Amino acid sequence: DIETRTKAILDGQGVLMSQYPMYYNFARQVGNKIKYTGYAGSCLYTEIDALIYTWEKRGLDGVILRKILLDVFGILL
């Protein structure tokens, strides 16, 4: 479900197919932070900020990463 919703965002943003796996990894990492580690509140936001920073340094678009957070997880940063 996370990947399906992420793919819909990527399709709508004109992202190159070669970058899809990196965006999927970002979405999975956020999902893991929420589901398996039990992060919430400010601790969760700190962890997500670190993920965004990491993936932006790897060349992903910060606007698209934040759109994934909002549309897939309902998180607004």
Side-chain angles (χ1 to χ4, degrees), residues 11 14 23 26-28 52 55 57 67 75:
D11 289 344
Y23 283 103
F26 168 77
R28 284 187 211 114
I52 289 173
W55 287 103
K57 289 298 178 187
K67 185 160 180 56
I75 297 172

Side-chain angles (χ1 to χ4, degrees), residues 5-73:
R5 290 186 281 171
T6 299
K7 183 181 184 313
I9 293 166
L10 300 177
D11 289 344
Q13 296 294 318
V15 174
L16 297 173
M17 291 293 283
S18 62
Q19 292 183 324
Y20 276 39
M22 292 189 292
Y23 283 103
Y24 289 151
N25 284 332
F26 168 77
R28 284 187 211 114
Q29 287 177 342
V30 171
N32 286 338
K33 296 284 182 196
I34 294 169
K35 291 181 184 179
Y36 301 112
T37 60
Y39 285 122
S42 63
C43 186
L44 175 63
Y45 296 141
T46 301
E47 292 290 323
I48 289 174
D49 279 339
L51 289 175
I52 289 173
Y53 177 80
T54 300
W55 287 103
E56 283 179 331
K57 289 298 178 187
R58 293 177 181 169
L60 299 188
D61 186 327
V63 173
I64 296 173
L65 295 174
R66 286 171 179 78
K67 185 160 180 56
I68 291 169
L69 286 175
L70 181 61
D71 294 354
V72 176
F73 300 102

